[in-house]
Amino acid sequence: MDKIDILCVGEVLVDFIGHQEGVLINETRDYHRYLGGSPTNVAMNSTRLGLNTIMVATVGNDGFGTYIAERLGDVGVNTDHLNILEDKSTSVIFVSRSDGTPDFIPYRSADCCIYEEQISSETLANTTIFHTTCFALSKNPAQKTILKKAQEAYNLGCKLSIDVNYARKLWKSQKKAFKVIKTYCQFNPLIKISEDDMLRLFEKELPHEEIFQFFHDQGADTVCLTLGSKGVKLSQKGEKVIEMPAIKIDKVMDTTGAGDAFWSGFLFAYIKEKSIQECLDIALKLAALKLQNVGRLPDNINILSKLL
């Protein structure tokens, strides 16, 4: 079995992104269809950067499911672990087009039906990074499967990763979300969080030091806090916090997926055994590129891989 650079486990969705700029969903008239889902974006970006990536996810046996399988296949993402269900429809999300964090309405069905048989022990033993999201962990059976397989991956020496993209509307309760996040953090994952996610999770603004401390206390050594146009802060347990500014952009076209682009760049450089500073540098370059494009990243992202 070939070495797997990143195993992305979680939601694959069809995103309908609003065509009208700067308005909420109630005022959006037209939508354009895109492939979406945070771990899906990471899988696509990573594959296009030259990494060997597997997507573990579930779709319905419908037109959207076919569209997803074809799009992943076109890019070269391994879809052998993509489950297709007869009795569930592919999950879709409607997203507003905005400069800040977009407004969204999820219609979920198949995405949370991820089962243990989709991830073998042999696959985990050959994986460098096991990546998932808070979205994927919000609902069973995916939640139970991911936590069990994350522990197995950790025991097999795999590096874990999570995007803590918490949204209240996806969870039964905030208390349950905290419990699941804390469980995952016991496996010392690389953590990516945004200021907006933290505001939603803690329901109040916290000093950045407290956010870092919370995750360090749960068992995570490396915590990356993205600050939108203000850049990024990264804390490694026991070391000085690293701060880097965002790359200046003349016109932001679409913020959807910018965090995923950032994290794809970070994980790519991490796998290439670059310094944390270099990981952040590549991550910021990829995020800047995404902000200038609606939908997916442009085809020339492989130029970044040549920088390393």
Side-chain angles (χ1 to χ4, degrees):
M1 186 185 234
D2 289 341
K3 189 72 183 159
I4 301 150
D5 293 311
I6 305 181
L7 186 75
C8 290
V9 186
E11 70 278 13
V12 63
L13 317 156
V14 172
D15 276 344
F16 286 98
I17 300 177
H19 189 53
Q20 286 72 37
E21 288 184 47
V23 295
L24 296 175
I25 282 175
N26 59 335
E27 291 183 355
T28 302
R29 292 191 310 276
D30 313 303
Y31 293 88
H32 286 209
R33 180 187 70 173
Y34 296 97
L35 181 58
S38 176
T40 308
N41 291 338
V42 171
M44 300 265 287
N45 297 341
S46 302
T47 302
R48 290 167 66 210
L49 283 166
L51 298 179
N52 184 21
T53 315
I54 286 178
M55 185 74 218
V56 179
T58 303
V59 297
N61 187 10
D62 51 33
F64 289 149
T66 304
Y67 161 73
I68 285 167
E70 286 173 355
R71 283 292 317 280
L72 289 170
D74 287 346
V75 171
V77 176
N78 181 319
T79 56
D80 294 348
H81 304 254
L82 186 70
N83 196 12
I84 300 167
L85 299 178
E86 295 293 336
D87 61 340
K88 301 268 184 193
S89 56
T90 302
S91 301
V92 300
I93 291 193
F94 287 84
V95 188
S96 67
R97 180 116 165 259
S98 65
D99 290 343
T101 300
D103 179 25
F104 75 98
I105 303 174
Y107 293 91
R108 300 181 70 183
S109 185
D111 78 272
C112 56
C113 299
I114 296 173
Y115 300 103
E116 284 180 38
E117 53 266 29
Q118 285 173 259
I119 312 168
S120 70
S121 299
E122 187 193 3
T123 298
L124 292 176
N126 278 290
T127 295
T128 304
I129 291 181
F130 177 105
H131 174 66
T132 193
T133 64
C134 224
F135 187 117
L137 284 166
S138 64
K139 206 169 177 184
N140 276 317
Q143 180 189 102
K144 194 176 166 190
T145 299
I146 293 167
L147 289 178
K148 184 172 181 183
K149 290 297 177 176
Q151 180 161 18
E152 190 181 340
Y154 175 73
N155 291 340
L156 287 165
C158 192
K159 187 65 188 170
L160 271 68
S161 159
I162 184 170
D163 185 337
V164 189
N165 54 353
Y166 173 79
R168 188 175 172 178
K169 64 179 85 171
L170 299 174
W171 289 81
K172 278 186 179 155
S173 70
Q174 183 199 32
K175 186 180 170 190
K176 179 67 177 173
F178 268 113
K179 188 180 176 192
V180 170
I181 291 164
K182 285 179 177 181
T183 302
Y184 194 86
C185 285
Q186 291 171 8
F187 313 127
N188 187 17
L190 297 165
I191 288 189
K192 184 253 172 202
I193 51 175
S194 74
E195 246 183 342
D196 291 338
D197 293 332
M198 288 306 91
L199 191 56
R200 286 192 290 266
L201 181 61
F202 292 100
E203 295 180 349
K204 61 181 175 185
E205 275 195 48
L206 287 180
H208 295 162
E209 292 69 32
E210 282 188 37
I211 294 170
F212 290 136
Q213 200 53 55
F214 169 80
F215 287 103
H216 289 325
D217 287 347
Q218 307 313 318
D221 288 345
T222 303
V223 185
C224 191
L225 175 63
T226 57
L227 309 168
S229 60
K230 298 193 291 289
V232 63
K233 284 185 177 180
L234 184 138
S235 175
Q236 288 180 291
K237 212 170 191 172
E239 294 184 32
K240 191 172 179 287
V241 171
I242 299 169
E243 288 187 60
M244 288 179 74
I247 295 166
K248 292 277 183 287
I249 292 159
D250 292 335
K251 180 169 170 56
V252 172
M253 294 299 292
D254 177 27
T255 56
T256 306
D260 300 329
F262 174 92
W263 201 235
S264 304
F266 186 92
L267 294 179
F268 168 74
Y270 186 90
I271 284 169
K272 299 294 181 187
E273 298 181 348
K274 299 297 165 184
S275 69
I276 288 294
Q277 201 93 26
E278 287 174 298
C279 290
L280 290 172
D281 185 48
I282 291 285
L284 289 163
K285 284 189 170 85
L286 216 54
L289 203 54
K290 172 62 200 77
L291 290 167
Q292 296 169 77
N293 290 273
V294 178
R296 65 171 230 175
L297 280 158
D299 287 325
N300 63 345
I301 64 164
N302 61 348
I303 58 169
L304 277 182
S305 59
K306 294 184 175 75
L307 296 174
L308 296 184

